[in-house]
Amino acid sequence: MDNSTILLVVAAALTDPQGRILVQRRPAGKAMAGLWEFPGGKVEPGEAPEAALVRELAEELGVGVAAEDLTPLTFATAPVSERTLLLLLYRCDRWQGEPQPIDADALDWRRPADLRDLAMPPADLPFIDALAAFESRAPE
Ligand SMILES: Nc1nc2c([nH]c(=O)n2[C@@H]2O[C@H](COP(=O)(O)OP(=O)(O)OP(=O)(O)O)[C@@H](O)[C@H]2O)c(=O)[nH]1
């Protein structure tokens, strides 16, 4: 299969014991600066998606995550220039270390419903509903 038209990006919904999810704000100088997103990034050639996300979470937040603690949650697609962005969202509720805004200019922890108040990339909007649905399924 020719995957050259697909830009594969992985992202994580780090979820704390209160059910709040970590989002980060893209800094000035990056595409979509000022928008809030889930930490993550592009999968490099030859890299498994979960390995890419483990790498990105270490680079962007300074946290250690085990690939087996990444649970696939949902995905989204969006057009980007001539290509299609394929964004895979994983849930993660176990990590080592305190997340730091290494790559972002701010971090915030929000309940899924409160993510609706943030400016996020258009591809992320369906993720808010998926996270809210997941939360309502979860036991208290
Ligand atoms: N990490 C992340 N990227 C997202 C999200 N939503 C979304 O549309 N994207 C897009 O997916 C792409 C990911 O690129 P990135 O710039 O974060 O990836 P990276 O860390 O590998 O980038 P770089 O090394 O080129 O700076 C960007 O076009 C970004 O706008 C999201 O929630 N999280």
Side-chain angles (χ1 to χ4, degrees):
M1 189 171 75
D2 176 8
N3 274 335
S4 59
T5 59
I6 300 287
L7 174 64
L8 184 58
V9 172
V10 285
L14 252 59
T15 308
D16 77 3
Q18 289 77 42
R20 296 175 311 161
I21 291 158
L22 183 71
V23 284
Q24 63 180 18
R25 194 169 60 198
R26 291 177 72 87
K30 270 202 161 189
M32 301 211 211
L35 297 190
W36 292 86
E37 65 173 15
F38 302 98
K42 299 176 193 106
V43 178
E44 290 174 0
E47 198 175 32
E50 293 80 9
L53 191 49
V54 167
R55 173 182 55 72
E56 291 281 355
L57 293 171
E59 289 173 4
E60 295 189 351
L61 300 173
V63 297
V65 171
E68 55 268 27
D69 289 328
L70 296 171
T71 306
L73 184 68
T74 189
F75 70 92
T77 59
V80 278
S81 52
E82 305 290 285
R83 305 171 76 189
T84 298
L85 170 71
L86 174 58
L87 188 53
L88 308 181
L89 184 68
Y90 292 80
R91 219 182 108 96
C92 176
D93 56 17
R94 194 182 345 205
W95 60 88
Q96 302 290 321
E98 185 63 30
Q100 306 295 326
I102 297 169
D103 212 36
D105 68 3
L107 300 182
D108 199 3
W109 292 92
R110 297 242 174 172
R111 298 203 73 93
D114 299 331
L115 293 173
R116 295 197 176 92
D117 301 332
L118 297 175
M120 297 187 82
D124 289 35
L125 300 183
F127 289 169
I128 299 176
D129 291 335
L131 288 163
F134 187 94
E135 182 182 44
S136 65
R137 283 203 314 271
E140 285 299 305

